[in-house]
Amino acid sequence: MRQLTQRAAARAAILVLASAALLAGLTGCDGGHTDSAGKDQAPGEASADSIRVTPRDGAKDVGRFDRVRVTVPEGRLERVTVRQIEAADPVDLPGRVSADGRSWTPLPGAHPALAAKYGVDAVTVDDSGRRAARHTTFTTTVPAHRFIGYFTPENRATVGTGMIVSIDFNRRIKDRAAVQRAISVTSDPAVDIAGHWFGDRRLDFRPRSYWKPGTKVTLGMHLRDVQAAPGVYGTQQKTVAFTIGRSQVSTVDAAAHTMKVRGEGGRLLATLPVTTGAPNRTTYNGEMVISQMYDVTRMNGSTVGFGGEYDIKDVPHAMRLTRSGTFIHGNYWTSPDTFGSRNTSHGCIGLRDVKGGSSSTPAGWFFDRSLIGDVVKVVNSDDRTVAPDNGLGGWNMDWAAWRKGSAL
């Protein structure tokens, strides 16, 4: 499920993880940068059938003076945000919507920063009030022979107890030990924290078990002049601090069609009826971590191998669980008696909702009480366990195996 619109209300920890390429053959709502969801087509179409973003989604090495623009062929742009993400101090690229509402451009003299990653979030609305949404990302040029790491969570965020510190590098790291040695993750109160490399571009950190609520965590990136490969040196000197919030762990039983939401001390907060992946497109088992939250997103089956089965432009209360596209989200187009009785999705976890979303529905209730970093665990699904590098899936690896992935 891709093509997202970020939650407009300020939330302390809205994170955006780097989008992954389509992983062929995986179940779940997998795909490119346009998102996918349940089987049925949503009634009605929003006015903007295509929100055009320049640079293209996933573009790399965008120059400081390259064009940045958002346009729509019909309807009007309700809001556009171009924000530096995965940064210690995220800032917006200032811009404005044209008088006719059809385009957004940066203000005169405003340009994206170098060695930065940006998220573009745009929402259009037609005369009937129907909305369409798109989320894209692009990264700007890193000066020659330099490397940087795009990290999550963001500075000053409050996150759930399952948060994993994840760093994606813009270049291949050959001397992993030197790079890992220059990065520190510490906590108060202190716990044992270990790093684990997934390939030569990604380094994650986690403790042995979930963080305790109230823990203060600090990420130090002392990469300036660190040599990652012959002739390639680091440029970052950053300190990022975040706080672990209250505990919330939710267990989805795919066979029972329920999700039990538990808070501090394992206290049961609610049992919600759900629908998960249908028999031929089942939902991953295992522990997944909420990494993005959006109040509305577009879900298009053509990007995930389901052809033209669906194109739902206003899926409410969407929370990303994997990089490959598994979400837990609101669903208004399926019969209410489906939830709690049948599995009908394309691999995602559906909660009953209404068109436009409502805080009084199961989906709205869960969304309003969730944080980036909360754990959603799936059991009793006829599928394999989610891979540890698919999203923040590192909790599916035992501590001994996790430590073996360290370069130190």
Side-chain angles (χ1 to χ4, degrees):
M1 305 185 223
R2 309 280 200 272
Q3 302 281 12
L4 311 174
T5 297
Q6 197 167 16
R7 181 176 173 86
R11 182 174 289 269
I14 298 296
L15 306 179
V16 184
L17 289 177
S19 298
L22 173 63
L23 302 181
L26 292 183
T27 59
C29 305
D30 298 337
H33 295 280
T34 301
D35 294 299
S36 60
K39 178 178 181 180
D40 302 312
Q41 174 74 29
E45 294 290 340
S47 61
D49 194 42
S50 174
I51 302 175
R52 299 163 188 167
V53 180
T54 304
R56 64 175 176 78
D57 190 18
K60 300 182 184 300
D61 295 324
V62 174
R64 178 169 172 77
F65 300 103
D66 286 356
R67 191 178 199 183
V68 179
R69 191 180 186 197
V70 180
T71 62
V72 291
E74 57 183 356
R76 60 180 175 83
L77 287 164
E78 185 178 61
R79 62 182 184 268
V80 176
T81 302
V82 181
R83 173 169 295 172
Q84 189 175 345
I85 58 177
E86 299 178 25
D89 295 296
V91 295
D92 289 351
L93 181 65
R96 61 190 172 202
V97 176
S98 62
D100 63 3
R102 295 289 180 88
S103 66
W104 178 98
T105 53
L107 294 178
H111 305 285
L114 292 178
K117 184 172 185 177
Y118 283 86
V120 180
D121 291 282
V123 179
T124 62
V125 63
D126 65 11
D127 292 339
S128 299
R130 293 187 295 248
R131 288 173 171 78
R134 191 174 185 196
H135 169 81
T136 66
T137 64
F138 66 88
T139 54
T140 56
T141 297
V142 178
H145 311 302
R146 293 286 180 175
F147 78 93
I148 61 173
Y150 301 106
F151 56 85
T152 187
E154 292 181 352
N155 195 30
R156 297 188 292 272
T158 297
V159 298
T161 56
M163 191 70 227
I164 292 176
V165 177
S166 186
I167 304 168
D168 286 285
F169 298 100
N170 71 307
R171 300 185 190 279
R172 289 186 173 86
I173 306 300
K174 291 189 176 180
D175 192 343
R176 300 182 197 178
V179 171
Q180 186 174 338
R181 195 175 292 115
I183 298 174
S184 63
V185 180
T186 58
S187 67
D188 182 16
V191 295
D192 190 10
I193 301 168
H196 184 99
W197 287 88
F198 292 107
D200 55 10
R201 289 198 180 208
R202 177 176 168 184
L203 173 61
D204 286 8
F205 291 87
R206 51 156 273 209
R208 181 189 296 267
S209 54
Y210 300 153
W211 305 97
K212 291 183 179 180
T215 299
K216 307 292 185 183
V217 184
T218 301
L219 164 64
M221 300 180 67
H222 312 293
L223 295 171
R224 183 172 298 160
D225 298 327
V226 173
Q227 183 168 298
V232 178
Y233 296 87
T235 185
Q236 288 170 297
Q237 287 290 123
K238 293 183 179 294
T239 300
V240 177
F242 61 95
T243 301
I244 306 301
R246 86 291 172 270
S247 173
Q248 180 172 292
V249 177
S250 304
T251 301
V252 175
D253 188 326
H257 317 292
T258 61
M259 179 171 71
K260 293 185 180 295
V261 184
R262 297 187 181 274
E264 301 287 353
R267 181 171 63 92
L268 183 64
L269 302 179
T271 300
L272 304 178
V274 301
T275 183
T276 63
N280 61 335
R281 38 185 188 265
T282 49
T283 304
Y284 289 124
N285 285 294
E287 296 167 85
M288 292 170 266
V289 174
I290 295 175
S291 59
Q292 295 173 330
M293 299 177 67
Y294 302 96
D295 59 46
V296 61
T297 179
R298 180 179 180 177
M299 302 180 178
N300 189 338
S302 65
T303 66
V304 294
F306 293 121
E309 290 186 34
Y310 53 82
D311 185 1
I312 306 173
K313 301 175 192 266
D314 59 349
V315 177
H317 296 134
M319 291 158 276
R320 180 183 291 278
L321 298 178
T322 70
R323 282 191 175 188
S324 63
T326 306
F327 275 68
I328 180 167
H329 62 76
N331 179 325
Y332 66 82
W333 54 89
T334 297
S335 174
D337 63 9
T338 299
F339 305 97
S341 62
R342 298 188 301 279
N343 291 328
T344 61
S345 84
H346 285 73
C348 294
I349 301 162
L351 292 164
R352 183 176 59 81
D353 212 334
V354 296
K355 189 174 178 64
S358 169
S359 60
S360 64
T361 64
W365 180 92
F366 184 69
F367 187 93
D368 290 343
R369 286 160 179 77
S370 294
L371 290 174
I372 300 297
D374 283 346
V375 176
V376 177
K377 182 178 181 180
V378 178
V379 299
N380 296 326
S381 177
D382 294 328
D383 204 331
R384 61 187 181 278
T385 298
V386 64
D389 63 343
N390 191 358
L392 301 179
W395 299 111
N396 296 289
M397 185 179 294
D398 65 40
W399 186 237
W402 181 266
R403 289 176 62 90
K404 288 180 180 178
S406 173
L408 301 182

